[in-house]
Amino acid sequence: MPNYDGYTVSIHYDRRLFRHDIAGSIAHARMLAKTKIISDEDAQKMIQGLEKIRVEIEDGSFPWDASLEDLHMNIESRLHHHIGATAGMLHTGRSRNDQIALDMRLYVKEAGHQTAEGLRGVQRALVALAEKYQDVLMPGYTHLQRAQPVLFAHHMLAYFQMLQRDVSRFRDCHHRLDVLPLGSGALAGVPYPTDREFLAKELGFASVSANSMDAVSDRDFVAEFLAAAALCMMHFSRLAEELVLWSSREFGFIRLDDAFTTGSSIMPQKRNPDFAELARGRTGRVYGNLMAMLTVLKGLPLTYNRDLQEDKEGIFDTVDTLLPTLEVFQGMLGGLTLDVDRVTSLASESYMLATDLADYLVGKGVPFRQAHGIMRELCEHCESSSTALGDLTIEEYRRFSEHFAEDVFQITAQSSVAARDNPGGTAPRRVAEELKQAKELLLEAGNGF
Ligand code: ARG
């Protein structure tokens, strides 16, 4: 008969939860002693044993045994080895079901904090770029066609806002997962006079779960973290795409630092934006991990089912993708150089002032729709006669509308952005305000949510 045990084994990946698992066990031992379920002496022995195990795992001397299936059984068996029969008391009033629910919550909490820290780092880099090139104009795009001039800083701060929403999503996720599941037992609660409030305090949870059945079967917090991570990676993927475009010869807007480009093995002139491309590409696996988790949860009856063991690899992979991405972007944005002459000259291209010219006619009493039509004809005329809007004489303008006067020549990229002086607009004054608010926000938030 072949041996199929390997199928259930999770030790090769769940071992990474050892710090969380040991912290949970130490708190549990303390609680058992505090409530006199076990003696202080036995609790001390357990705690010392567990700390020894932590050191063994950290220094690589821990004898992992796949036949013991998972992290919990490996640690418990090792505790036996160190302290003998007393080890058997640690699992009093506890099940692997509430134990793993606890480990996962501790892990996701930590990951949430690390993510927030990483996001703050990228936000700081965006703010620094916005500040460095505060007055620089660039073409703003719709449909990837030059549309209207905007401030480069405005573009950078758009990403700041996206990342701010990410931070707030991870913060929401944190608040909902900040609930202690330990003390739920296998599913129904435990028949010992435990002190769950004490456990919550020891382990840093804001509250204790209200329903033991929900507590052992809930992995919403994993799905929620994965969903927040998916949106966050999507933001980085979009930014990556812009960096790829902007660093191309066709755009020529930016130069990425050498640390974030690679040469081609055959074409010596190349500086490929591999880091941005990999971030864009890795977004796919993060989406996949979210879909996998949602699918695992779908159709699971209450309460614990072994399917839940499948919650781990996806979130580990997501965290291992997301955190380095945050670091890379912080560095990549920090080392980015803007070709100010190039973006400024493109921003001043007169076609992009077509909307401003329509608005000019509105100022002369022409209804906007009509003004838009006049400008459309003007643009078509320029296109067919290969001239630019900026090269037209006043006579030519007036052939399309008698409302045009000499002051039409005062419309420039600068006047275009300055005119967009409503909250959220790209007027330098508004962007300066936006930048100030972003800096204040970062100062207040520090590295956290
Ligand atoms: N390795 C399991 C998991 O990750 C731990 C809980 C096992 N519980 C059980 N009843 N077999 O979900």
Side-chain angles (χ1 to χ4, degrees):
M1 186 67 181
N3 183 331
Y4 298 107
D5 291 350
Y7 199 69
T8 59
V9 173
S10 57
I11 191 59
H12 49 291
Y13 53 83
D14 70 11
R15 63 168 76 175
R16 114 179 224 176
L17 295 169
F18 78 91
R19 281 197 191 84
H20 313 89
D21 196 72
I22 289 173
S25 289
I26 289 177
H28 187 65
R30 288 209 179 104
M31 185 279 290
L32 291 175
K34 178 181 178 276
T35 51
K36 312 248 176 282
I37 297 168
I38 63 170
S39 70
D40 282 336
E41 208 189 348
D42 285 337
Q44 267 326 305
K45 257 199 215 169
M46 287 175 193
I47 293 168
Q48 275 160 18
L50 287 163
E51 262 152 13
K52 192 161 166 184
I53 290 170
R54 179 160 46 205
V55 174
E56 287 178 333
I57 299 178
E58 275 164 357
D59 71 19
S61 64
F62 187 89
W64 296 105
D65 181 354
S67 73
L68 291 169
E69 207 173 86
D70 64 16
L71 168 77
H72 320 300
M73 301 313 286
N74 267 269
I75 291 182
E76 193 177 324
S77 140
R78 189 67 181 163
L79 193 61
H80 263 280
H81 170 87
H82 286 320
I83 68 171
T86 312
M89 291 181 202
L90 178 62
H91 220 47
T92 314
R94 187 175 74 167
S95 151
R96 274 194 291 163
N97 297 352
D98 58 351
Q99 188 177 355
I100 189 62
L102 170 70
D103 293 0
M104 288 303 285
R105 278 183 193 256
L106 287 171
Y107 173 79
V108 178
K109 260 175 106 167
E110 187 178 281
H113 286 297
Q114 290 166 339
T115 305
E117 196 177 325
L119 282 166
R120 292 306 187 199
V122 184
Q123 281 185 313
R124 274 196 297 275
L126 288 165
V127 162
L129 270 180
E131 203 163 28
K132 180 167 174 197
Y133 299 110
Q134 194 170 342
D135 304 318
V136 178
L137 298 187
M138 69 179 286
Y141 289 81
T142 61
H143 310 273
L144 204 53
Q145 299 189 14
R146 277 176 237 158
Q148 291 177 347
V150 292
L151 286 187
F152 173 78
H154 201 47
H155 199 123
M156 289 299 105
L157 292 176
Y159 282 101
F160 181 94
Q161 296 298 335
M162 287 189 211
L163 302 192
Q164 187 54 27
R165 288 195 295 278
D166 288 324
V167 171
S168 87
R169 260 186 287 274
F170 284 106
R171 178 176 50 219
D172 288 350
C173 177
H174 167 86
H175 287 318
R176 260 185 298 282
L177 79 83
D178 198 11
V179 178
L180 175 88
L182 191 61
S184 300
L187 76 161
V190 296
Y192 298 94
T194 56
D195 186 343
R196 299 191 64 209
E197 295 294 342
F198 173 83
L199 280 174
K201 227 173 174 184
E202 285 283 296
L203 293 165
F205 283 94
S207 62
V208 304
S209 55
N211 184 304
S212 60
M213 298 179 76
D214 179 43
V216 294
S217 72
D218 172 33
R219 293 294 184 276
D220 289 5
F221 61 96
V222 177
E224 221 178 317
F225 183 94
L226 293 173
L231 284 172
C232 184
M233 281 300 292
M234 177 270 283
H235 291 155
F236 282 101
S237 185
R238 293 181 69 172
L239 178 52
E241 169 66 12
E242 300 219 271
L243 298 181
V244 170
L245 283 173
W246 289 357
S247 61
S248 69
R249 289 271 291 271
E250 282 71 12
F251 274 77
F253 287 10
I254 58 167
R255 185 180 166 88
L256 294 170
D257 190 90
D258 288 346
F260 299 100
T261 61
T262 57
S264 157
S265 53
I266 169 163
M267 299 165 283
Q269 82 281 15
K270 298 281 294 245
R271 296 180 78 252
N272 297 326
D274 291 21
F275 285 71
E277 289 172 332
L278 281 167
R280 191 175 58 186
R282 285 181 185 154
T283 304
R285 62 199 292 160
V286 174
Y287 287 4
N289 292 334
L290 169 63
M291 287 322 293
M293 186 73 247
L294 290 172
T295 312
V296 166
L297 292 172
K298 172 187 173 300
L300 282 193
L302 288 178
T303 54
Y304 180 84
N305 300 274
R306 193 62 179 271
D307 315 46
L308 291 175
Q309 181 168 297
E310 290 296 305
D311 61 353
K312 291 174 196 59
E313 283 173 293
I315 193 160
F316 293 162
D317 180 62
T318 294
V319 171
D320 291 345
T321 305
L322 182 56
L323 296 182
T325 300
L326 299 175
E327 271 177 43
V328 160
F329 271 82
Q330 188 177 348
M332 193 155 54
L333 292 169
L336 178 159
T337 326
L338 183 66
D339 187 335
V340 175
D341 291 342
R342 166 104 179 130
V343 290
T344 308
S345 76
L346 287 175
S348 312
E349 191 207 45
S350 56
Y351 268 123
M352 276 198 298
L353 299 175
T355 322
D356 292 85
L357 288 165
D359 291 328
Y360 164 91
L361 291 173
V362 169
K364 305 281 180 182
V366 182
F368 183 79
R369 268 298 143 230
Q370 203 184 322
H372 181 273
I374 294 167
M375 282 314 299
R376 191 162 187 94
E377 280 169 25
L378 242 171
C379 289
E380 274 162 14
H381 164 78
C382 287
E383 210 185 317
S384 60
S385 59
S386 302
T387 37
L389 269 177
D391 298 335
L392 296 180
T393 62
I394 190 63
E395 289 71 33
E396 284 170 305
Y397 270 118
R398 289 177 65 85
R399 232 182 286 147
F400 291 83
S401 167
E402 81 258 19
H403 295 282
F404 283 116
E406 285 291 338
D407 58 352
V408 72
F409 298 113
Q410 283 162 23
I411 298 174
T412 60
Q414 273 75 14
S415 76
S416 169
V417 294
R420 283 159 176 80
D421 192 13
N422 315 70
T426 195
R429 197 172 77 86
R430 297 292 178 174
V431 175
E433 180 58 26
E434 195 187 350
L435 184 57
K436 185 169 155 256
Q437 276 169 12
K439 283 165 84 177
E440 280 165 11
L441 190 152
L442 287 179
L443 214 58
E444 217 173 282
N447 271 331
F449 296 127

